[in-house]
Amino acid sequence: MKAREVAGGGRAVEISPERLAGWYERFADRHGGVTRSELSTNKVVVTAVDGARAEVEVGFGGLALPEPVRREGLAIDELLEHASRPRRIALVLVRLGGHSVGIAENGQVLSSSTDRRQVHGRNKAGGWSQQRFARRREGQARLSLSDAADTVARVLLPELGSVAAVVLGGDRQALEALRADRRLGELFARAEPRVLPVAEPRRRVLEEAAESARAVEIVLFDR
């Protein structure tokens, strides 16, 4: 279980649906018990006796709650049920110079397409060919993102009606460039707010992202 620092001083961890109940039980044990559980459509906050908090931004449409609820102790059955529900999703992983897209179900990639296109790194300021180099790099970047958009349209648009959600990953700037493609408007309209932090897109990275997409991201705030 890898943790990463997040804004506000918290630590984010990804927990698979199968391990979620056990994780919360251990959280309660470590912090002297749980005082309350607060659930709304899009957020779950569990507060421990010592003041530690475990917060979840609920994805995939949120919890089916008519109104927010506050309960004593550890009481998160709706979150556990929501997380364990089988889902078919579309994955779009893009970084400058590479992309990997696919359809996954319950953490398994069913179909995919991965490709790379060379994009040179930035040249040092002051080089004699800096402007020519920058133009060349800009052209490479444009072709790379165009290829990525074409692949997303070819592989994912025909499957859009069969998926529960679209999960994005990679570089936000590259993703924003794809978002500007008119063909992909409906796809990006269905994208989850959470963007997966992924390495250079490859098939192996796509498989890891398929598991990560179904995991619940919990942000911990210790006291």
Side-chain angles (χ1 to χ4, degrees):
M1 179 177 62
K2 294 182 180 179
R4 62 181 180 86
E5 300 297 319
V6 297
R11 293 178 295 112
V13 295
E14 290 183 353
I15 307 299
S16 68
E18 296 80 12
R19 297 172 54 224
L20 192 59
W23 186 93
Y24 273 104
E25 290 170 1
R26 291 188 293 275
F27 170 80
D29 290 341
R30 288 195 306 270
H31 296 281
V34 168
T35 60
R36 64 183 179 274
S37 301
E38 300 165 277
L39 296 82
S40 62
T41 302
N42 298 316
K43 192 166 187 176
V44 172
V45 180
V46 172
T47 303
V49 170
D50 65 0
R53 302 192 319 278
E55 300 186 359
V56 171
E57 298 288 341
V58 184
F60 300 118
L63 305 182
L65 291 172
E67 59 184 20
V69 296
R70 176 174 171 148
R71 301 168 179 151
E72 293 185 1
L74 182 60
I76 55 167
D77 287 348
E78 291 89 347
L79 176 63
L80 299 179
E81 189 279 328
H82 181 78
S84 63
R85 198 175 300 162
R87 291 183 178 89
R88 181 182 174 95
I89 63 172
L91 288 161
V92 179
L93 310 183
V94 182
R95 298 191 76 88
L96 200 57
H99 61 268
S100 188
V101 307
I103 299 295
E105 191 166 350
N106 302 327
Q108 299 295 316
V109 176
L110 305 179
S111 61
S112 68
S113 180
T114 300
D115 199 8
R116 299 175 64 193
R117 180 182 279 271
Q118 185 181 40
V119 177
H120 289 295
R122 297 185 184 277
N123 197 23
K124 292 182 179 180
W128 69 270
S129 60
Q130 181 178 357
Q131 291 184 347
R132 185 177 64 180
F133 184 91
R135 288 195 298 269
R136 182 180 179 187
R137 183 179 187 277
E138 187 177 302
Q140 290 173 337
R142 188 165 50 249
L143 287 174
S144 173
L145 293 172
S146 177
D147 281 354
D150 288 345
T151 301
V152 172
R154 173 175 56 82
V155 176
L156 298 186
L157 290 187
E159 301 288 339
L160 204 53
S162 71
V163 301
V166 177
V167 176
L168 309 176
D171 178 69
R172 289 179 182 271
Q173 192 170 5
L175 288 167
E176 285 304 310
L178 262 64
R179 192 186 295 271
D181 190 306
R182 293 182 179 180
R183 296 172 297 173
L184 309 182
E186 183 182 355
L187 182 140
F188 275 92
R190 297 183 56 187
E192 291 288 299
R194 176 185 171 202
V195 176
L196 302 178
V198 299
E200 182 180 347
R202 299 175 184 269
R203 170 60 194 235
R204 175 184 55 79
V205 174
L206 186 71
E207 292 171 353
E208 293 170 354
E211 284 287 353
S212 185
R214 68 188 290 266
V216 175
E217 184 177 72
I218 303 174
V219 180
L220 294 167
F221 297 92
D222 293 322
R223 295 294 290 270

